[in-house]
């Protein structure tokens, strides 16, 4: 594996390992909408700088002029709806559960690819779905499978539904490939006024504690902005993108450790088991068929 791409990918993994803790600490101070608004504004500034640095501002104007409705739809899916719903899930669930359930988006993507991208539904798809959603049940019931006692059904529903919006975003991207940096810039740029209107309607445009502002900026920088840019660069330089993608699954164990030490959230055995099943289902999707 290319050494530079490996270093970049591992740097992103470390960034993503910290954000569940940042989500939880920041949500203790402000609402999910406020946190997302700060994060998206931060990411937009970073992406603007990257677009100017790469001399792609003309391309951004061209994309927006040619397909305004398309990019508005992308912006509604991600970051607007995806992160709003995901952060609402983090607000209701232990961060370890919300993070684990969020990984189901890759399985949802494989399901949506059948009707929207014309891909075949295989036995591998079925097994991966059963594994992943078996993990969901373990996490949602905190291991109490026989009773099927869901501890926070709304939080679980929010975490799972967020995966629909993220998978839908990637389906649309696949159908109409664009420059990744410019596409992200337009999505975050169009999302910001939508979130600002929501903030105004909810009466959230008030003084926000500096600790919460710092948390939102951290999330916009390391969950979204720099993380996205570094990951795209790592993927471009990689000799084997599948191997590089698998490094993402180093993030959850590190995240659980940080949640336990910084956010004082004890790690549940049911979360570890459920996360293992979900990741197993996702990794199964990435296995190539034998000839």
């Amino acid at each position: 594996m290319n050494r530079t791409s490996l270093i970049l990918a591992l740097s992103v993994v470390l960034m993503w390992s910290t954000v569940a803790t940042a989500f939880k600490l920041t949500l203790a101070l402000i609402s999910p909408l406020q946190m997302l608004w700060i994060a998206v504004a931060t990411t937009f500034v970073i992406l603007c700088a990257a677009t100017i640095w790469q001399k792609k501002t003309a391309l951004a104007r061209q994309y927006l002029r040619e397909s305004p409705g398309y990019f508005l739809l992308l912006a509604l899916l991600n970051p607007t709806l995806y992160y709003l719903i995901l952060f609402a899930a983090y607000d209701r669930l232990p961060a370890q559960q919300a993070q684990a359930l969020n990984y189901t988006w890759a399985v949802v993507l494989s399901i949506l690819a059948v009707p929207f991208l014309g891909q075949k539904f295989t036995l591998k798809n079925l097994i991966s779905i059963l594994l992943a959603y078996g993990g969901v049940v373990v996490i949602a019931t905190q291991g109490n499978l026989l009773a099927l006692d869901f501890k926070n059904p709304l939080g679980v529903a929010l975490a799972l539904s967020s995966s629909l919006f993220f998978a839908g975003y990637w389906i649309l991207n696949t159908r109409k490939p664009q420059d990744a940096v410019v596409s992200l810039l337009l999505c975050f740029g169009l999302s910001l006024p939508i979130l600002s209107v929501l903030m105004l309607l909810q009466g959230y445009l008030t003084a926000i504690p500096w600790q919460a502002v710092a948390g939102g900026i951290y999330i916009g920088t390391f969950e979204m902005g720099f993380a996205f840019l570094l990951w795209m660069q790592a993927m471009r330089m990689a000799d084997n993108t599948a191997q590089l993608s698998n490094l993402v699954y180093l993030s959850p164990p590190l995240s659980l450790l940080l949640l336990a030490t910084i956010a004082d959230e004890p790690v549940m055995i049911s979360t570890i088991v459920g996360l293992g099943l979900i990741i197993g289902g996702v990794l199964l999707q990435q296995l190539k068929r034998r000839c």
Side-chain angles (χ1 to χ4, degrees):
M1 187 182 293
N2 182 288
R3 184 178 178 181
T4 304
S5 68
L6 178 61
I7 292 172
L8 290 173
L10 289 176
S11 299
V12 175
V13 167
L14 288 175
M15 291 181 192
W16 282 336
S17 298
T18 66
V19 293
T21 301
F23 292 164
K24 206 63 182 176
L25 295 177
T26 307
L27 285 170
L29 301 172
I30 53 176
S31 71
L33 176 57
Q34 289 173 308
M35 186 170 79
L36 180 58
W37 182 67
I38 297 169
V40 167
T42 302
T43 305
F44 179 63
V45 171
I46 293 171
L47 292 173
C48 276
T51 302
I52 293 169
W53 176 266
Q54 296 178 11
K55 298 180 180 180
K56 293 179 178 178
T57 51
L59 186 60
R61 289 194 295 269
Q62 176 189 329
Y63 280 3
L64 190 58
R65 184 172 59 252
E66 291 175 352
S67 308
Y70 170 75
F71 284 104
L72 180 59
L73 177 58
L74 285 181
L76 284 171
L77 291 173
N78 177 49
T80 309
L81 290 172
Y82 167 62
Y83 277 111
L84 266 181
I85 295 171
L86 180 63
F87 290 168
Y90 269 92
D91 204 28
R92 289 167 171 79
L93 294 171
Q96 60 187 280
Q97 292 185 353
Q99 175 191 239
L101 296 173
N102 184 44
Y103 275 87
T104 59
W105 76 265
V107 177
V108 173
L109 179 59
S110 73
I111 297 171
L112 293 180
V114 175
F116 291 107
L117 299 180
Q119 296 183 9
K120 293 182 179 180
F121 189 83
T122 64
L123 179 61
K124 185 178 70 174
N125 293 128
L126 178 61
I127 295 172
S128 67
I129 291 168
L130 293 175
L131 278 174
Y133 287 99
V136 168
V137 174
V138 171
I139 292 170
T141 62
Q142 295 183 12
N144 192 9
L145 298 179
L146 295 178
L148 284 180
D149 181 15
F150 292 87
K151 305 301 179 182
N152 192 320
L154 177 57
V156 171
L158 287 169
L160 293 177
S161 62
S162 70
S163 66
L164 286 171
F165 293 102
F166 200 52
Y169 169 81
W170 284 111
I171 288 287
L172 284 176
N173 263 311
T174 302
R175 292 176 67 90
K176 189 175 181 179
Q178 305 276 7
D179 181 271
V181 174
V182 174
S183 180
L184 281 172
L185 171 70
L186 294 177
C187 288
F188 278 81
L190 291 171
S191 175
L192 193 55
I194 297 171
L195 294 173
S196 298
V197 170
L198 292 175
M199 288 274 287
L200 184 63
L201 293 175
Q202 294 292 322
Y204 285 156
L205 287 173
T206 56
I208 297 175
W210 70 266
Q211 297 95 331
V213 173
I217 292 173
Y218 183 91
I219 292 162
T221 302
F222 296 110
E223 156 71 7
M224 304 173 188
F226 284 135
F228 288 164
L229 293 173
L230 290 178
W231 184 256
M232 286 187 291
Q233 181 64 24
M235 293 294 281
R236 278 197 294 265
M237 299 176 67
D239 301 321
N240 189 319
T241 56
Q243 288 182 356
L244 197 70
S245 297
N246 289 342
L247 292 176
V248 170
Y249 301 105
L250 294 174
S251 178
L254 293 173
S255 184
L256 291 177
L257 179 63
L258 290 173
L259 285 169
T261 55
I262 298 176
D264 197 26
E265 184 177 291
V267 178
M268 292 178 279
I269 298 298
S270 58
T271 299
I272 296 174
V273 173
L275 180 61
L277 289 170
I278 290 170
I279 291 177
V282 173
L283 291 178
L284 180 61
Q285 288 287 345
Q286 298 184 22
L287 292 178
K288 293 183 179 179
R289 294 181 184 177
R290 293 182 179 179
C291 297

